[in-house]
């Protein structure tokens, strides 16, 4: 069984913001499975489904970004899921809008949601799909930037990126992380 966690912030206030791109990918995966991530249990919204022949639990933590680890750990403990079977999808300001980076493991890279997941799981060794949202413009506060919505031009790019990130997750399940890294880590032209 796999847990696929898309990071974001709960409530309509944050829909469509850079920080919620993980939620958008989870919703896209749910659409492909003809389900919705609407069941509430403790600190998550979730859906159980089959994806690429694997049993998966799609989750959207409802703890706010900086406490994502609480929700991920709770679900991992309940389903007795090892970190290598937890795929985390989140925004990355160090990548151009729409660029993807798939990793088997790694540091938090300054992302507070990932930092909290690492703290709660006690390891950095879980696969992740980073979705580029672009660098913070000079003079902007980081929190204001990641909680802002995309420009119309970037929104089109991000809609494509959400599809690609969902494809990358499916490839991880089907062929493994290395295959997804080889396919999706190339720079966008």
């Amino acid at each position: 069984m796999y847990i696929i966690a898309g990071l974001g912030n709960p409530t309509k206030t944050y829909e469509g913001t850079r920080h919620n791109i993980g939620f958008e990918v989870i919703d896209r995966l749910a659409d492909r499975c003809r389900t919705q991530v609407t069941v509430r249990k403790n600190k998550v919204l979730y859906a159980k489904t089959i994806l690429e022949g694997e049993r998966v639990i799609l989750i959207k933590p409802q703890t706010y970004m900086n406490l994502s680890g609480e929700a991920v750990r709770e679900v991992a403990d309940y389903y007795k899921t090892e970190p290598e079977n937890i795929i985390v999808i989140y925004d990355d300001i160090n990548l151009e809008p729409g660029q993807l980076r798939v990793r088997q493991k790694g540091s938090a890279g300054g992302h507070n949601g990932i930092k909290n997941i690492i703290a709660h799981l006690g390891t950095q060794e879980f696969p992740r799909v980073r979705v580029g949202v672009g660098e913070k413009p000079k003079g902007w506060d980081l929190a204001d930037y990641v909680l802002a919505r995309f420009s119309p031009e970037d929104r089109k790019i991000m809609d494509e990126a959400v599809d690609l990130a969902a494809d990358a997750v499916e490839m991880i399940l089907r062929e493994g992380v290395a295959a997804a890294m080889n396919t999706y880590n190339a720079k966008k032209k």
Side-chain angles (χ1 to χ4, degrees), residues 116-133:
N116 193 256
I117 291 172
I118 290 169
H120 280 274
L121 293 181
T123 183
Q124 297 180 2
E125 300 199 17
F126 53 89
R128 70 251 351 236
V129 177
R130 296 165 30 209
V131 182
V133 297

Side-chain angles (χ1 to χ4, degrees), residues 28-69:
R28 189 66 45 92
L29 288 166
D31 288 346
R32 291 178 181 186
C33 296
R34 294 176 176 29
T35 190
Q36 293 183 327
V37 182
T38 56
V39 178
R40 176 135 193 156
K41 178 154 175 125
N42 299 329
K43 298 176 181 176
V44 298
L45 290 177
Y46 76 96
K48 293 181 193 175
T49 190
I50 302 292
L51 185 62
E52 293 298 327
E54 298 286 350
R55 290 182 3 193
V56 301
I57 300 170
L58 304 173
I59 69 168
K60 296 195 292 190
Q62 300 297 290
T63 52
Y64 289 92
M65 180 65 77
N66 294 351
L67 301 176
S68 297

Side-chain angles (χ1 to χ4, degrees), residues 98-155:
Q99 186 179 357
L100 298 185
R101 188 69 76 234
V102 178
R103 290 284 184 253
Q104 177 73 49
K105 60 184 177 181
S107 71
H111 193 286
N112 289 331
I114 295 299
K115 196 180 298 181
N116 193 256
I117 291 172
I118 290 169
H120 280 274
L121 293 181
T123 183
Q124 297 180 2
E125 300 199 17
F126 53 89
R128 70 251 351 236
V129 177
R130 296 165 30 209
V131 182
V133 297
E135 189 176 10
K136 171 184 79 70
K138 191 172 183 150
W140 275 62
D141 176 71
L142 181 59
D144 290 341
Y145 180 68
V146 296
L147 296 177
R149 287 173 173 71
F150 296 100
S151 69
E153 301 81 32
D154 281 350
R155 184 70 255 178

